[in-house]
Each structure stands twice: as structure tokens, then as C-alpha cells.
Amino acid sequence: MFRSAVVRSLRTSLPRAVRTPAPFQIRSSAAVRPSQFAARLAFPAVRCYSAPAGLAKDEVEGRIVNLLKNFDKVNDASAITGSSHFSNDLGLDSLDTVEVVMAIEEEFSIEIPDKEADAIHSVNQAVEYILSQPDAH
């Protein structure tokens, strides 16, 4: 009882702050018009960007040719062109071809499924596969 009397006396002795309603409060007694909230619900301008352009065919072919030139099991690095076949022109066996496909996966940061990796036997086929992948970079 003594405590509540002290609290009441302190409340009366302190100056009261003027309370103004917050601008986002809705008063139940006043009629609400939709135009009152139009400015508060507006969204700031948002700039949208498109996805980056895909890789160019020349760039993909150049990266694959450079990868093959640095591959130590290639017989003749000067014979590597855009139409080189891995086994016929470069002398790679099936295991080497798998290693080349894995190196291509790392180069372009993609994952090539085994079924599709078995179909890649030349630089042209690798280039066409990379160009068909939208997430290759």
C-alpha cells in the first residue's frame, strides 16, 4: 500500500509528455479512406537486371583448346583445332576422354551427366554441349 502511494505521487509529480498518435495508427472512430494510406504503401523504385549474356562460341572453343593444349597426354598440341576428335586426332583413349570431360566440367563450373559425357568425343561436341547449358560460365 505504501509502495502504490509512492508510485502515484511520483506519477503526479512528473511532467506529462504530450502524446501524439503515431502516423501509422488507425483510429476506430474516424472513417478510413484508402487515399490516406496511398503514400505510405508506395514502394521505392526497383531496378531489374536481366541475366548475363551467355558464352560466345569462340570463347568456349578457345578455352577448351587451351585446356587440351595443357593436357599432358595429347600427342601433338599443335594439331588441336575446333574440329579435333579426341581419339582419332589427338590420340586419347577412353579414360583420357573421361579426364578431359572432367576438366571441362571444372573449367566451366558445370556437371555433365554420365550419359551425356559419353557422347562427347570431339571439341565441337564439347562446345555445343557447353553452349546449351545456361549455367555454364
Side-chain angles (χ1 to χ4, degrees):
M1 188 147 156
F2 176 75
R3 184 176 176 186
S4 60
V6 172
V7 170
R8 268 187 261 133
S9 66
L10 285 175
R11 282 186 186 165
T12 57
S13 66
L14 292 175
R16 290 193 172 223
V18 178
R19 291 188 181 184
T20 57
F24 57 84
Q25 289 180 341
I26 299 174
R27 295 183 205 132
S28 60
S29 62
V32 178
R33 295 185 310 265
S35 62
Q36 288 177 322
F37 301 103
R40 293 186 188 116
L41 296 177
F43 294 101
V46 176
R47 209 173 263 211
C48 298
Y49 296 98
S50 65
L55 297 170
K57 184 175 182 175
D58 295 335
E59 178 188 357
V60 172
E61 186 175 313
R63 285 169 65 179
I64 292 175
V65 168
N66 286 336
L67 186 133
L68 287 170
K69 285 182 180 177
N70 294 328
F71 194 66
D72 58 343
K73 296 183 181 178
V74 173
N75 293 339
D76 186 15
S78 62
I80 300 173
T81 63
S83 60
S84 296
H85 192 274
F86 294 151
S87 61
N88 297 344
D89 299 330
L90 304 178
L92 301 176
D93 61 3
S94 60
L95 185 59
D96 296 334
T97 302
V98 171
E99 289 180 21
V100 167
V101 171
M102 289 173 56
I104 290 171
E105 287 178 333
E106 288 182 29
E107 176 71 23
F108 292 96
S109 301
I110 60 170
E111 186 175 333
I112 302 174
D114 292 338
K115 190 178 215 181
E116 294 171 358
D118 292 340
I120 298 175
H121 297 291
S122 68
V123 175
N124 282 338
Q125 290 173 341
V127 168
E128 292 302 318
Y129 182 81
I130 297 299
L131 292 176
S132 69
Q133 300 302 309
D135 56 343
H137 58 286

